[in-house]
């Protein structure tokens, strides 16, 4: 496959290079992100994801000349064509520091595209939404630029009430699909139930952690059972089409690359667009791993190169 990026892949990867296991220093992550955005596969890459607490370090980079709106070389923090750095901020402590971060980011040459907010222990869904409403006001006009807000859904009994509360609002969900310990990975049945709950509630979601491989796999170094982002896309499509939990679970468990790639091709434009509207992106500490694996499956190739 060659030519323009296929629909299923566009904007699919959020660049989480600074998070485990990559842990790239911020200056290196900013420079690498610019390189990704200006490469032939730039349309695959979403914003650079950093913790809101790192905005001070980003400001220091700006003052040192490492983030420049107009710069176009690989050392700059500009995005493609010298635009501002596209940014997503995480708030592991909840919404309390969002207002402060919005003010700080407004003083930087960045385009703030997303906020990813954890739910503090004991905070009820209606309390969370009220807190978000108070610090992230709705745009005065629909066309106004405004960051999307993703609420990190806990892997416990709070999941369904939170998704129900998010239904019909401007807020989206974020699911953790892994981490640095085996127990941080939900199994296929749990993730299938989560996908079905989100799709059933009409809440778009992104995923993060442990998801930079295309296919379900066993990590050879850690032994962790890891989900595949293409499996998750197929599972989302199946859930949207009314599939039962067993079918969704089986799609998450599929490890045969030829089978998964064929099913991705068979989705067609309408179903692909519908699935991506629900599963909006995933955070990965590596952009090159997903890129290489998509090429290996014959789903992506550099224009002018061999398919």
């Amino acid at each position: 496959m060659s030519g323009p990026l296929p629909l299923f892949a566009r904007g699919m990867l959020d660049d989480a290079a600074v998070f485990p296991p990559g842990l790239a220093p911020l200056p290196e992550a900013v420079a690498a992100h610019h390189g990704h955005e200006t490469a032939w596969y730039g349309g695959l890459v979403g914003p650079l994801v950093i913790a809101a607490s790192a905005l001070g370090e980003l400001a220091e980079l700006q003052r040192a000349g490492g983030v420049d709106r107009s710069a176009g070389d690989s050392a700059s923090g500009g995005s493609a064509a010298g635009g501002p750095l596209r940014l997503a901020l995480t708030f592991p402590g909840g919404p309390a520091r969002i207002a402060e971060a919005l003010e700080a980011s407004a003083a930087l040459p960045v385009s703030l595209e997303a906020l990813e907010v954890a739910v503090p222990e004991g905070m009820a869904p209606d309390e969370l939404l009220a807190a978000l409403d108070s610090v992230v006001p709705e745009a005065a006009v629909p066309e106004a630029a405004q960051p999307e807000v993703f609420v990190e859904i806990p892997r416990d009994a709070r999941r369904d009430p939170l998704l129900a509360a998010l239904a019909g609002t401007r807020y989206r969900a974020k699911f953790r699909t892994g981490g640095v310990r085996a127990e941080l990975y939900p199994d296929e049945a749990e993730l299938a139930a989560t996908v079905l709950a989100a799709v059933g509630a009409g809440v778009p979601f992104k995923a993060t952690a442990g998801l930079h491989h295309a296919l379900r796999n066993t990590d050879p170094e850690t032994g962790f059972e890891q989900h595949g982002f293409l499996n998750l896309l197929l599972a989302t499509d199946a859930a949207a089409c009314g599939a039962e939990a067993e079918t969704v679970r089986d799609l998450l468990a599929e490890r045969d690359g030829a089978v998964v790639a064929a099913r991705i091709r068979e989705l067609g434009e309408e179903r692909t667009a519908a699935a991506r509207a629900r599963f909006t992106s995933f955070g990965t500490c590596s952009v090159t791993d997903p890129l290489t694996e998509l090429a290996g499956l014959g789903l992506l190739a550099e224009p002018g190169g061999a398919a």
Side-chain angles (χ1 to χ4, degrees):
M1 181 179 294
S2 61
L5 286 174
L7 178 60
F8 81 85
R10 296 174 196 169
M12 196 178 203
L13 311 184
D14 292 339
D15 185 354
V18 302
F19 293 94
L23 294 173
L26 186 59
E28 294 179 16
V30 169
H33 184 77
H34 174 73
H36 294 315
E37 286 198 319
T38 54
W40 66 268
Y41 56 85
L44 189 73
V45 183
L48 179 68
V49 187
I50 66 172
S53 58
L55 282 172
E57 184 181 355
L58 193 63
E60 289 294 329
L61 280 178
Q62 178 197 16
R63 284 190 283 271
V67 180
D68 188 334
R69 285 183 190 274
S70 59
D73 60 82
S74 61
S76 81
S79 64
L85 176 67
R86 299 167 61 209
L87 204 62
L89 299 178
T90 66
F91 295 84
R97 299 188 63 183
I98 290 179
E100 174 187 344
L102 291 177
E103 183 178 358
S105 62
L108 295 173
V110 302
S111 172
L112 185 56
E113 298 194 356
L115 311 177
E116 302 178 10
V117 187
V119 183
E121 191 71 36
M123 180 175 276
D126 56 349
E127 184 183 358
L128 173 71
L129 294 186
L132 292 174
D133 287 343
S134 69
V135 292
V136 191
E138 290 196 69
V141 293
E143 297 80 10
Q146 186 178 29
E148 293 178 335
V149 180
F150 293 84
V151 174
E152 184 174 318
I153 306 298
R155 291 175 54 207
D156 55 31
R158 293 174 291 171
R159 182 192 69 191
D160 289 352
L162 272 167
L163 287 172
L166 296 179
T169 74
R170 58 197 168 109
Y171 303 120
R172 303 182 170 206
K174 170 184 171 181
F175 301 131
R176 288 196 171 272
T177 53
V180 297
R181 302 188 309 278
E183 63 268 24
L184 297 177
Y185 289 80
D187 63 17
E188 295 100 325
E190 180 185 341
L191 186 55
T194 297
V195 169
L196 285 163
V199 171
V203 179
F205 64 91
K206 68 166 292 185
T208 190
L211 199 69
H212 62 271
H213 290 294
L215 305 173
R216 177 74 176 178
N217 68 93
T218 303
D219 186 274
E221 295 183 4
T222 64
F224 297 167
E225 297 296 324
Q226 297 183 325
H227 292 288
F229 60 84
L230 292 183
N231 299 79
L232 184 53
L233 181 61
L234 290 174
T236 304
D237 166 71
C241 292
E244 298 294 330
E246 182 177 2
T247 298
V248 178
R249 184 196 66 203
D250 288 348
L251 287 168
L252 290 170
E254 180 60 64
R255 295 171 184 250
D256 189 319
V259 170
V260 170
R263 287 177 172 167
I264 291 291
R265 294 189 184 96
E266 290 166 2
L267 287 180
E269 185 171 331
E270 185 175 345
R271 283 173 60 185
T272 298
R276 284 300 315 280
R278 292 169 171 86
F279 170 29
T280 63
S281 66
F282 68 94
T284 173
C285 67
S286 170
V287 170
T288 56
D289 282 354
L291 183 69
T292 300
E293 293 184 13
L294 288 174
L297 290 168
L299 293 172
L300 190 67
E302 183 174 358

